Amino acid sequence: MQFSEHWLRSMVDPPLGTEELARLLTMSGLEIETCVPVAPPFSGVVTGEVVTLAQHPNADLLKLCRVSVGAGEPLQVVCGAPNVKLGMKAPFAHVGARLPGGLEIKAAQVRGVQSGGMLCSARELGLSEDHSGLLALPGDTPLGRDIREILALDDHLLTLKLTPNRADCLSLLGVAREVSALTGALLTPPEVSAVPAVCDAVIQVRISEPQGCGRFAGRVIRNVNAAAPTPEWMRRRLERSGQRSISALVDVTNYVMLELGRPLHVYDVDKLSGGIDVRYGRRGEKVKLLNEQTVEVDETVLCITDDSGAIGLAGIMGGESTKADLATRHVFLESAFFHPGAIAGRARRYNFTSDASYRFERGVDFENNAAGIERATHLILDICGGEPGPSDDVAVLLPQRNPVRMRIGRAELVIGIPVPAAEMEAIFRRLGFTVTREPDAFVATAPSYRFDIAIEEDLIEEVARVHGFDRIPADPPVAPVQARTEPEAERSLHQLRERIAGAGYQEVINFSFVDPVWEADFAGNAEPITLLNPIASQLAVMRSTLLGGLVSVARTNLNRKCERVRAFEVGRAFMRDPAAPAGGLAVAGVQQPMRVAGIACGPASEEQWGIQARAVDFFDVKGDVESLLAPLSAGFERAAHPALHPGRSARVLLGGTPIGWLGELHPRWQKKYELPMPAVLFELETAPLTALGLPHFEEPSNFPPVIRDLAVVVDAGQPAKALLDALEAEKPRFVREIRLFDLYQGKGVPEGRKSLAFRIVMQDTDRTLTDAEADLAITKMVELLGHRFSATIRT
Amino acid sequence: MQDVEPIVARAFAEFACSADAAQLENAKARFLGKSGELTALLKSLAALAPAERKSAGALVNAAKERIEAALAARREAIASAGLEARLAEEALDVTLPGRRRGRGGIHPLIRSWQRVEAIFRSIGFDVADGPEIETDWYNFTALNNPENHPARSMQDTFYVDVSDEHGQPLLLRTHTSPMQVRYARMWVERFRDAAQVPPIKVIVPGRCYRVDSDATHSPMFHQVEGLWIDENISFADLKGVYTDFLRRFFESDDLAVRFRPSFFPFTEPSAEIDVAFQSGPLEGKWLEISGAGQVHPDVVRNFGLDAEHYIGFAFGSGIERLTMLRYGINDLRLFFDGDLRFLKQFS
């Protein structure tokens, strides 16, 4: 909400400067977001009148005027404004005046004619961007007066960012009440007195839904001049509150809403069909609203209706069919109370909001209906004339203001310091609560404009807030010292991050929502979890794989001339799973496991002297994955994945359970996603990687190891892992390590076969192995490999 | 007997002009070998009379020792000259760059996240993590934010095409606060049979989502939630803990921190926390850093606790904001567009 400091100070005027006032409000919970002067500083500008007007003798586009500033001889000035007219009143800058931006007005010769001052446009005074002509002042403006005073320019615009619980401050009166409560300064609300009826015109009102409409005050005013101009002072206050002047009748309703926080609506009596009924809508009923939008209502939307059907959305917006316009003769004013629950969310459903709905859904004072209607009647009579009928105020169901008990000890426990009971009582009284004192407690009842006081904590908050949060000390709490550490047998995601970063990968964070095409390409997922309200079509579905984002990161960085990309991400993937149960940390119907994924693209090592450049390959990244997992040791089996090269992709297994994938990006996607070179990717679940167990101690052997190398030739298509697994499974107890250290194909090895060389380390813990034992072990291994894999010893 | 001195002199001279080990060994053979001069001389002693033999023998042995000493010295000299030559040959250009391995790094937001964790762990907080696709109940209702409440429009929520058991669409959590409820309920369940539920002290860093995308809002962002519930944890404690956290995080003891009243459905009293730096480009400017407050009794009841006996505070802070202020980063979007030139500055 935006408002003028002047207007506020007309109701409460504490001895505080503008900045101090803004700070006071901010620190009491009414955050002043911005506080800007209405006009920049300038001086020496007064009201003037053009008393003679002639053509400039030497210039076609210039005029020669004499300007009266009241006392003294009129002053001769040259003026180029297209709208200058004889008898016109406009701001006049004297010689010596300082305009915004520091321009000083000097006496000057303009095309050979003396000019002693300057008539000003709005832009020249920094009031607006309007430079189409002089700023025309009303005909009754007194002459020779400082323009800052005449236009009330020594004012500030304050923007209040109000929290939803403080609807009582959505008006000047509300803010003034708060300022008065905080400072003790006298509150002088606008005077409202009952306007006597001079005719007996009424509109019958029926409230069919007291749960929706708790109160309805109405009044007819006959024979108004709806075309009368809105007075300057009202126009100015409205404009400084961000409201455009529309017509006198609409302006009055807006004015009373801003002034008293009382939304009003004005109907054209001649357009109403019969009496008014406040009821819920009927399915299929339509209303064309004042914003020209036609909406279809149903039985959850409270409506103002007449014999013709729905004519407006109660508490939200009036309808086009009964609106008062400049030709309206007789008007009907509505000043109703609608319960917040009956209004909340309805406007949003139709994708708009209005000043009225904004207020009603947060809570509007249900005791100022009559005051609002009297105030509006008074203003309408002043501006448009007319004959008021009787004010008809019917209250059927108003919110209860229950007394709330606040224990003094409880307040101290919650706030953390004692606030003197006398101060608490004073706070409640200044805030307009009725309060009674018990030995250890207060019982307070909130005024009708407060909708946020229902429980003890609400009162404690009021005490803390008005006492001042900044007066509550920020001392470190006293609590029992208890160490809390992470279990040693687990590693955290951060440790995994450090590990993979240590292997040269840079962490990135990609959005969890992605292009549906990525899901199809990289996960083969035709039914990803879809956002109902995405911000963009390429961010429309939840990712079930992290790979798409990494490919995109590789591409953008390669496009930026980065030659070598190593990137990883730790984040969740999201999958539908109707069978997934709800749990402490789980939501039924979806799986959202944490994953770690990486991409490698470009040279195996950074380009440098002394290392032969080569492109990264599957085994570079496999090594990275293995060292990420260590001390866990994974298995890899060839399997197809939608994102990966079918011959160069592996399922990663831990203890036989699949935990992820490793492989080269499918050449089809490499082309489609415009990567200039192959990329190798991996993606693993993190949960299986975190449980490590404690290190397992084994006494080191003091006896010498026996080391033998064993090279065998097998079919080229034979996975090496099978040989290793077989050797591991069948090895004697004293074989400590079997390591594949060479792969060879080529000269000396038959076509279609390959040579694999294993290094076998044997060592016993309590004695020295004999050569015979070692030889026997190797012989058995050779037999095993020969028997099971048709392996022959390479000679 | 033949005079030994000329033999010694010749041996010295030949050793001295031996350029390498092989020449030296040849020279040695000529004097000390089986048919060497000195060996021959020694053999000739047998022909002498016993009295003469003794003194001549002493003479020859002394000469032999001198020749052997000269030989050893020359050997040493040749060996060390050889080493010198090898060392000279092996010299490197030490100014060549070292063997480079690619350097990876942690994302700046995660760097802050880790720092926040370290600070809160040091005062006894646990760290938890939870689901990002959430139910309406955990994200809103359990946090005292019922449907149609105006406070809901404070956060524009992404919904997905999967529904919960009430037919309500699931959503992307708009804050980390639902984890307050999840963590507390699990904690209370764990201590169901205990006379007293031990203090709940936890922070929850993680991803959040809101329908908001402009220069200062990202549709995905990170928050860290904090929760401390016990029998007597007050608003003053919140001020103490959070002020200390900010000063440790920014390593600035004179950081100004202010708490001003605000509104959140799930806390009361509620506060917005602002900081102001005492130096640097943002000097003296109040910057919103966090929302916080005493946990609302309705929420405490949703934890499964008696709100009369358990009170405490919660806070939620934006990790992006903390990171931007910490490192002077001026554009939120840099965090999410994967530009390695930016990200590597933090590794």
Side-chain angles (χ1 to χ4, degrees), chain A residues 384-399:
Chain A
C384 309
E387 299 133 28
S391 176
D392 184 18
D393 179 8
V394 183
V396 285
L397 180 67
L398 298 181

Side-chain angles (χ1 to χ4, degrees), chain A residues 458 472 512 532 576 606, chain B residues 100 159 161 209 239 268 308:
Chain A
D458 297 327
I472 299 170
S512 306
L532 300 180
R576 288 174 201 281
E606 288 188 25
Chain B
R100 263 190 309 156
Y159 291 92
D161 65 345
Y209 306 85
K239 283 192 72 173
E268 186 161 32
E308 180 63 22

Side-chain angles (χ1 to χ4, degrees), chain A residues 77-338:
Chain A
V77 293
V78 173
C79 177
N83 68 337
V84 64
K85 280 194 315 222
L86 192 62
M88 176 185 197
K89 289 182 176 172
F92 174 73
H94 277 295
V95 169
R98 281 193 174 275
L99 296 192
L103 175 70
E104 187 181 339
I105 300 299
K106 294 184 175 126
Q109 294 277 332
V110 180
R111 293 275 183 120
V113 177
Q114 185 67 28
S115 182
M118 185 172 96
L119 287 161
C120 303
S121 71
R123 193 174 78 182
E124 281 158 342
L125 297 181
L127 304 181
S128 77
E129 285 307 301
D130 188 359
H131 195 49
S132 60
L134 302 181
L135 172 61
L137 299 173
D140 58 357
T141 306
L143 295 182
R145 300 273 289 278
D146 189 332
I147 194 75
R148 296 193 74 92
E149 172 208 335
I150 291 294
L151 296 181
L153 297 180
D154 292 317
D155 190 7
H156 287 81
L157 301 182
L158 288 88
T159 314
L160 179 57
K161 185 181 172 190
L162 207 57
T163 53
N165 58 326
R166 292 306 303 275
D168 61 297
C169 291
L170 284 168
S171 68
L172 270 297
L173 177 61
V175 177
R177 268 191 311 244
E178 188 74 12
V179 170
S180 170
L182 294 168
T183 61
L186 182 68
L187 179 68
T188 52
E191 211 166 304
V192 178
S193 53
V195 182
V198 299
C199 69
D200 54 8
V202 289
I203 296 284
Q204 290 303 322
V205 174
R206 178 184 145 85
I207 301 175
S208 294
E209 293 295 342
Q211 306 283 346
C213 177
R215 183 172 205 158
F216 197 114
R219 165 177 263 170
V220 172
I221 307 176
R222 295 180 56 81
N223 291 314
V224 297
N225 172 16
T230 303
E232 196 54 38
W233 63 268
M234 181 181 285
R235 211 183 253 275
R236 183 178 300 144
R237 282 183 168 176
L238 289 173
E239 277 166 8
R240 288 185 188 177
S241 305
Q243 294 272 1
R244 203 163 43 89
S245 169
I246 293 162
S247 69
L249 291 171
V250 175
D251 288 354
V252 165
T253 60
N254 282 335
Y255 185 84
V256 174
M257 179 183 71
L258 290 167
E259 185 183 55
L260 304 179
R262 160 50 44 205
L264 300 171
H265 187 63
V266 54
Y267 299 86
D268 185 328
V269 169
D270 294 334
K271 295 177 186 167
L272 286 170
S273 319
I276 280 176
D277 184 9
V278 189
R279 60 164 169 84
Y280 280 110
R282 296 179 182 132
R283 196 165 281 276
E285 233 175 342
K286 288 183 177 171
V287 201
K288 186 175 185 192
L289 301 174
L290 288 175
N291 65 2
E292 315 234 307
Q293 188 177 343
T294 299
V295 299
E296 191 171 321
V297 298
D298 59 28
E299 52 284 344
T300 63
V301 180
L302 195 66
C303 294
I304 309 294
T305 66
D306 67 4
D307 292 352
S308 72
I311 57 170
L313 302 184
I316 298 174
M317 192 174 277
E320 185 70 21
S321 68
T322 55
K323 82 165 181 185
D325 56 30
L326 295 183
T328 296
R329 292 280 312 281
H330 314 302
V331 296
F332 176 64
L333 277 172
E334 166 200 308
S335 174
F337 172 77
F338 301 107

